[in-house]
Amino acid sequence: MPSVKAQSSDGEIPEADVEVAKQPVTIKTMVEDLRMDDAGGNDLVPLPNVNAAILKQVIPRCTHHKDDPPPPEDDENKEKRTDCVSVWDQELLKVGQGTLFELILAANYLDMKGLLDVTCKTVANRIKGKTPEELPKTFNIKNDFTEEEEARVRKENQWCGEK
Amino acid sequence: RRPPSGQHRHCEGCFDRHCHVPVEPDVSCMVINCHLLCGATFHMCKEAEHELLCPLEQVPCLNSEYGCPLSMSRHKLAKHLQVCPASVVCCSMEWNRWPNVDSETTLHENIMKEIPSEECLDTALALRDQKVLFRSLKMVELFPETKEVIKERPTVNGEATWEEMAGAVGGADVDLVPRGSLSTTNEEMAELSQEEREALAKTKEGMDLINKEHAASALTKSPSGCESESKRKNASGKEQVSRDNNAVGEGVAKGKEPQETQKKEDFHTAVETVGLAPWQDGVLERLKTAVDAKDYNMYLVHNGRMLIHFGQMAACTPKERDFVYGNLEAQEVKTVHTFKIPLSYCGKRARLGDAMLSCRPSEHKAVDTSDLGITVEDLPKSDLIKTTLQCALERELKGHVISESRSIDGLFMDFATQTYNFEPEQFSSGTVLADLLTAASPGGLHVELHSECVTRRHNKSSSAFTFTCNKFFRRDEFPLHFKNVHTDIQSCLNGWFQHRCPLAYLGCTFIQNHFRPPGQKAKVIYSQELKTFAIKPEVAPELSEGTKNNYPSGCGRKSQNSLTSLPLEILQYIAGFLDSISLSQLSQVSVLMRNICATLLQERGMVLLQWKKNRYSHGGTSWRVHREVWQFSSLFSKIKSWEFNDVTSMSEHLKTCPFNVVEHKTDPILLTSMCEPRDQARKTLVSTFTNRL
């Protein structure tokens, strides 16, 4: 079956089945617009923003989810829940934070809504339940409030607007 | 577009969508469609009217005055109200807790010896309730004898105070208090009353002990009050008695020299000596000077007919019409000034009983303790916390009463039945139990672990301490909050949601959580900072370490681990998955996170109005909206159903519980059937009755 080659930022060229490869909308657009599926498997899809390691994790996910129905349209009022991550995805995402963020960026670049949802939900789950003291440590966020701002925010976590 | 001053003659009554009447100025105009394409067709002059009800017209939210900034098509208004940020509800859930004095003290001590775990939900909630309680128990209210003596404020003359307080309740009544005639201490009195008003609003008993003279004079109402009024009346002019026929003429002074306790005797003497029989001329004038208003009125009630008959008093209706009203008893019509309710009654009606208590005069009596064999100084000091809690619930908790009322000489007097000796001898009026905790045991649990739910509609006027939730939620969040927090978790803490070891009464602190949210692993915690329950998803510890660099290439991209390295729209997308409570936490971390969360305020947050009291130079006050305050509520993600946790059976713990001391009996024990002699005749139920027959 026809396959597509994608070149990662560090030069590696993992191969993938074209059906699998078309899941990321970016690749799908490239393939269809440049009519690469007609030609032989010699043309490369350049992916300068994704490195090989991440690509190697994205491809299995695409394979696993290739028969999934397209995600429903975003309903404005539908509550965004974080507990509907499948077990398979949970296993896949048992990675360090750096990798997780790379996956998010890759999913964003490749326009893969499913992967983006799952990775963002995972990060959200890591944020939930933590105090403002624990969060900076977990996510390496620097506290850049001034002293008065911080005191005000800790005392009353509000945003005030003049009437 | 301003509507024309009058509708066109034709158009006013025309609703024909296909009207073809030719256009004429001031008579008719052309038919148009709604420019928003809602489907309506009308004459052009009615366009402005149509805008008032076009469903596609952009209008502000119905709650725009309450802070909601959104505008939308009219037909979406109702749907939006469900999620409007200005639609805010305050949770009124109440629960009660008794102080623990005797029961399960070992357990409480053992619990406090350990580091409090956020998963130990009943303990965490009990500790929070205790903190709230200790901050609210004012020492001088419970132990008035320990109040530290401070410099006396100048005592105010009772009569002027009456006027000032009267004015304060009903609004500035300028006519009643001509300022010029009052003494120079008016300003001082005015200030005192203002302070007093505020103190009344704050204190539990509605009265400050120092100003009990004010209260006493106010509450003894008519005599001094009327006296001051009458003095002023006579100074400023005579009062008119309005009636149909004004025959009694001059104004009525409501009694010049009131006698508080002896009014009855005076009245009687007045009748005998001065001549107050109804047929005697001038009786009413004499009566007015002799007795106060109350007795004057009683006299009229009893002797009215005779007074009218002998011409001392004119009837309400003229004599000529007596045949119509002949059977009615004539009454003199008098104008009475509105009774101004004393502030002490207004302030705290429900606690009227307490208010009366504090204005009774008190006297210290010594009790002979010589038979104890030790000096007063050596008497053991009362435990501050236990005593305070007991006295706060004096009626309910085992009947401890500080004092009991006894009737002596027709008056009720309170006799103290207990006295308390505390380490800090004196308390200032604002001291609460929480302030004294450093002296007493700081880390104790003095309230029961389990709570009860008795709503305010039940009769529990002085039962266990009551705690309220009082948190704000958006209207659509409130049912979720109530279900998850109060119904699922809080009400089920006693033995359903969490199980304690059966030997907890002996002191075992082992506890198991039996439920968790569905889906991925998460635990329920109590957050002391947020004072509410929260859900904490379980993350493998090595994954949540932010400092470890798991990045394979390892080329020093430490900043890549930071959440802030992600683009803004991704951060916003992630934030969109967070529940309200997590948003409020995340917004306290850094400026960037705060701004990200702020973008979600309109969609997920709520807006409250902050009011400010404006005082005017003429003494009046009014409340104005000061500003809008946006915040996130403390709601966590909705939990529709709970799953069982994988916990081992309690019997596993009991095998190793240190309090599970098994008693092995080695001596033989007689069974009950072995105790009685066997040769006794066996009695059956039938034989019991046959013998009697």
Side-chain angles (χ1 to χ4, degrees):
Chain A
M1 60 184 78
S3 66
V4 169
K5 286 185 197 154
Q7 184 175 33
S8 68
S9 61
D10 37 1
E12 284 198 33
I13 309 173
E15 263 198 50
D17 186 34
V18 71
E19 288 308 314
V20 170
K22 272 192 182 175
Q23 270 203 23
V25 176
T26 313
I27 294 183
K28 179 168 180 247
T29 315
M30 275 193 215
V31 165
E32 282 172 359
D33 286 351
L34 303 173
R35 298 161 84 79
M36 283 182 178
D37 45 1
D38 294 342
N42 286 331
D43 288 327
L44 291 175
V45 177
L47 298 172
N49 285 353
V50 187
N51 66 53
I54 298 298
L55 209 50
K56 279 185 186 150
Q57 292 192 310
V58 169
I59 292 173
R61 197 199 178 260
C62 293
T63 316
H64 188 258
H65 287 273
K66 71 173 189 246
D67 296 320
D68 279 358
E73 274 298 309
D74 241 355
D75 187 6
E76 276 176 16
N77 288 336
K78 194 173 160 215
E79 193 197 333
K80 289 180 170 177
R81 301 191 59 83
T82 58
D83 54 0
C84 41
V85 178
S86 71
V87 180
W88 193 92
D89 281 330
Q90 283 181 41
E91 285 300 317
L92 174 75
L93 295 170
K94 272 188 182 165
V95 292
Q97 253 174 54
T99 317
L100 189 57
F101 293 156
E102 288 282 317
L103 278 169
I104 291 180
L105 292 170
N108 188 36
Y109 174 70
L110 294 171
D111 201 357
M112 296 171 67
K113 190 169 186 312
L115 182 62
L116 187 63
D117 273 355
V118 155
T119 44
C120 288
K121 283 179 190 176
T122 311
V123 175
N125 275 337
R126 294 189 188 178
I127 295 176
K128 277 187 188 175
K130 292 204 167 64
T131 63
E133 285 77 30
E134 292 166 342
L135 282 169
K137 289 184 209 146
T138 312
F139 293 105
N140 257 334
I141 305 174
K142 190 169 172 295
N143 182 348
D144 52 356
F145 284 121
T146 63
E147 273 188 34
E148 306 105 34
E149 274 176 350
E150 184 165 2
R152 192 167 34 94
V153 163
R154 292 298 160 105
K155 187 180 164 215
E156 278 168 6
N157 190 9
Q158 295 167 347
W159 288 258
C160 298
E162 290 298 322
K163 183 93 170 112
Chain B
R1 225 173 77 133
R2 284 181 180 277
S5 51
Q7 294 244 318
H8 296 149
R9 245 189 350 228
H10 162 79
C11 304
E12 204 174 354
C14 172
F15 303 98
D16 185 0
R17 293 173 67 98
H18 308 289
C19 177
H20 292 298
V21 166
V23 177
E24 257 184 72
D26 293 335
V27 175
S28 66
C29 56
M30 58 186 260
V31 173
I32 56 165
N33 290 324
C34 167
H35 71 275
L36 292 171
L37 304 173
C38 76
T41 310
F42 40 81
H43 281 284
M44 201 160 71
C45 56
K46 295 186 187 175
E47 192 174 11
E49 253 184 38
H50 174 73
E51 278 171 22
L52 296 174
L53 38 82
C54 177
L56 296 177
E57 183 79 15
Q58 289 287 315
V59 289
C61 168
L62 290 166
N63 280 331
S64 56
E65 287 297 311
Y66 294 101
C68 180
L70 300 172
S71 295
M72 64 213 74
S73 307
R74 191 174 267 120
H75 75 277
K76 288 187 184 167
L77 278 177
K79 196 167 177 210
H80 162 75
L81 272 183
Q82 295 170 17
V83 293
C84 177
S87 205
V88 175
V89 172
C90 180
C91 180
S92 57
M93 171 76 179
E94 284 184 3
W95 61 94
N96 314 104
R97 232 180 254 281
W98 293 89
N100 96 297
V101 185
D102 295 332
S103 57
E104 297 184 338
T105 316
T106 325
L107 173 65
H108 289 221
E109 279 170 12
N110 288 350
I111 285 176
M112 294 312 289
K113 278 182 201 157
E114 300 168 355
I115 305 166
S117 153
E118 58 187 3
E119 275 188 84
C120 204
L121 302 176
D122 55 359
T123 312
L125 190 59
L127 282 171
R128 175 252 168 192
D129 288 346
Q130 179 175 274
K131 227 186 255 180
V132 168
L133 176 65
F134 283 6
R135 272 203 301 262
S136 70
L137 286 173
K138 277 202 177 156
M139 302 305 290
V140 293
E141 282 175 15
L142 293 169
F143 309 110
E145 68 274 9
T146 57
K147 180 167 181 157
E148 65 181 4
V149 177
I150 61 175
K151 201 175 67 170
E152 282 279 325
R153 287 188 217 156
T155 51
V156 180
N157 205 339
E159 25 177 32
T161 316
W162 166 252
E163 288 299 343
E164 280 296 340
M165 289 165 87
V169 173
D173 193 352
V174 183
D175 296 332
L176 202 54
V177 184
R179 297 230 165 215
S181 63
L182 286 179
S183 62
T184 49
T185 51
N186 190 27
E187 259 68 45
E188 206 181 47
M189 286 178 233
E191 265 174 66
L192 226 46
S193 304
Q194 177 64 33
E195 272 176 67
E196 190 170 338
R197 280 178 231 143
E198 285 174 2
L200 273 167
K202 279 181 211 157
T203 62
K204 177 187 158 207
E205 291 181 340
M207 221 157 306
D208 199 2
L209 279 172
I210 281 184
N211 295 322
K212 66 176 194 234
E213 282 100 41
H214 298 239
S217 65
L219 284 171
T220 48
K221 62 181 179 98
S222 19
S224 51
C226 282
E227 176 193 7
S228 59
E229 265 201 8
S230 68
K231 277 190 184 156
R232 219 149 272 121
K233 278 290 151 289
N234 291 336
S236 57
K238 310 255 167 131
E239 175 196 323
Q240 284 295 326
V241 178
S242 70
R243 291 175 317 173
D244 293 341
N245 282 347
N246 193 353
V248 174
E250 285 105 39
V252 177
K254 288 195 192 152
K256 283 226 174 84
E257 290 113 39
Q259 314 288 328
E260 281 189 43
T261 52
Q262 295 172 338
K263 16 184 217 257
K264 287 235 159 77
E265 287 118 64
D266 272 356
F267 173 61
H268 290 305
T269 50
V271 168
E272 284 154 22
T273 58
V274 187
L276 290 176
W279 52 85
Q280 289 170 330
D281 280 337
V283 57
L284 287 178
E285 279 71 33
R286 285 196 292 278
L287 199 60
K288 279 164 201 168
T289 59
V291 300
D292 68 346
K294 192 173 160 220
D295 292 317
Y296 180 84
N297 289 337
M298 288 307 295
Y299 182 83
L300 287 182
V301 166
H302 291 304
N303 304 300
R305 279 194 85 102
M306 292 237 271
L307 285 167
I308 291 168
H309 182 73
F310 287 109
Q312 303 302 325
M313 192 168 82
C316 302
T317 55
K319 271 198 172 129
E320 300 82 59
R321 293 202 199 154
D322 242 354
F323 73 94
V324 176
Y325 302 109
N327 288 330
L328 293 177
E329 215 171 81
Q331 294 283 332
E332 187 191 351
V333 178
K334 272 182 134 144
T335 304
V336 186
H337 282 286
T338 322
F339 178 73
K340 303 269 187 206
I341 305 166
L343 262 180
S344 57
Y345 283 83
C346 268
K348 302 276 175 195
R349 279 190 186 226
R351 304 199 193 277
L352 198 57
D354 293 350
M356 289 305 298
L357 261 179
S358 67
C359 73
R360 286 189 211 163
S362 63
E363 206 181 287
H364 289 285
K365 294 245 189 226
V367 175
D368 186 13
T369 54
S370 55
D371 53 350
L372 289 174
I374 49 174
T375 63
V376 175
E377 287 76 26
D378 291 338
L379 280 172
K381 300 283 181 196
S382 316
D383 182 277
L384 195 64
I385 297 176
K386 278 200 166 44
T387 315
T388 312
L389 289 176
Q390 271 188 345
C391 295
L393 294 180
E394 55 183 36
R395 279 188 191 80
E396 271 64 38
L397 203 60
K398 301 195 175 144
H400 285 272
V401 181
I402 293 181
S403 65
E404 54 184 25
S405 291
R406 281 187 225 161
S407 167
I408 292 175
D409 298 338
L411 297 169
F412 276 106
M413 286 181 62
D414 291 322
F415 275 86
T417 55
Q418 300 196 44
T419 183
Y420 300 99
N421 217 355
F422 295 123
E423 276 294 342
E425 294 263 327
Q426 304 265 294
F427 303 120
S428 73
S429 57
T431 309
V432 289
L433 187 56
D435 302 334
L436 304 167
L437 276 186
T438 46
S441 54
L445 180 63
H446 301 275
V447 291
E448 291 282 2
L449 276 175
H450 59 267
S451 60
E452 300 160 5
C453 281
V454 182
T455 67
R456 63 185 72 172
R457 282 163 185 76
H458 287 73
N459 185 14
K460 53 151 184 137
S461 50
S462 38
S463 72
F465 300 116
T466 305
F467 303 93
T468 46
C469 177
N470 273 349
K471 292 202 164 40
F472 288 106
F473 295 95
R474 232 180 36 223
R475 193 168 287 277
D476 59 329
E477 295 175 327
F478 176 66
L480 301 173
H481 159 77
F482 202 92
K483 179 190 180 299
N484 285 147
V485 171
H486 295 306
T487 314
D488 290 342
I489 302 176
Q490 192 171 342
S491 310
C492 301
L493 275 181
N494 311 336
W496 177 248
F497 205 84
Q498 281 191 325
H499 283 212
R500 282 199 171 266
C501 171
L503 300 175
Y505 72 98
L506 291 174
C508 180
T509 58
F510 180 76
I511 193 166
Q512 275 182 332
N513 278 353
H514 277 231
F515 293 97
R516 62 175 169 85
Q520 51 218 167
K521 287 210 163 201
K523 52 184 182 177
V524 179
I525 61 167
Y526 188 83
S527 162
Q528 288 289 355
E529 296 86 23
L530 299 169
K531 302 182 186 64
T532 184
F533 296 102
I535 303 288
K536 197 170 188 174
E538 280 174 10
V539 180
E542 60 271 10
L543 299 177
S544 56
E545 264 305 315
T547 48
K548 279 197 196 145
N549 199 345
N550 290 328
Y551 192 64
S553 72
C555 50
R557 284 205 253 176
K558 197 173 178 201
S559 63
Q560 206 70 357
N561 275 351
S562 171
L563 199 57
T564 48
S565 65
L566 295 173
L568 284 180
E569 59 272 13
I570 300 236
L571 287 175
Q572 214 172 344
Y573 193 63
I574 293 175
F577 285 110
L578 292 174
D579 48 24
S580 209
I581 189 174
S582 307
L583 282 169
S584 70
Q585 297 295 85
L586 186 62
S587 62
Q588 294 179 39
V589 171
S590 73
V591 175
L592 173 66
M593 291 300 146
R594 193 166 177 76
N595 291 338
I596 297 278
C597 295
T599 59
L600 289 169
L601 272 174
Q602 278 184 11
E603 190 190 321
R604 305 285 304 280
M606 45 186 193
V607 61
L608 300 157
L609 296 178
Q610 202 174 67
W611 295 79
K612 202 175 171 187
K613 197 170 184 176
N614 284 348
R615 287 176 207 279
Y616 300 107
S617 50
H618 56 75
T621 57
S622 74
W623 288 91
R624 286 271 163 99
V625 175
H626 175 49
R627 57 186 181 179
E628 294 169 7
V629 171
W630 288 85
Q631 61 190 67
F632 289 107
S633 70
S634 62
L635 183 77
F636 52 76
S637 314
K638 172 168 75 174
I639 296 175
K640 276 189 230 160
S641 61
W642 297 84
E643 283 182 5
F644 282 105
N645 244 340
D646 295 326
V647 288
T648 55
S649 161
M650 187 61 78
S651 56
E652 290 299 317
H653 158 75
L654 278 173
K655 286 180 194 167
T656 55
C657 179
F659 292 87
N660 193 9
V661 177
V662 181
E663 254 186 61
H664 292 286
K665 296 268 184 208
T666 49
D667 299 329
I669 304 169
L670 282 177
L671 296 176
T672 44
S673 62
M674 297 175 179
C675 299
E676 290 170 352
R678 284 206 126 227
D679 49 358
Q680 208 172 37
R682 273 191 72 198
K683 280 190 184 164
T684 65
L685 192 60
V686 174
S687 61
T688 315
F689 289 108
T690 45
N691 283 345
R692 284 193 197 162
L693 288 175

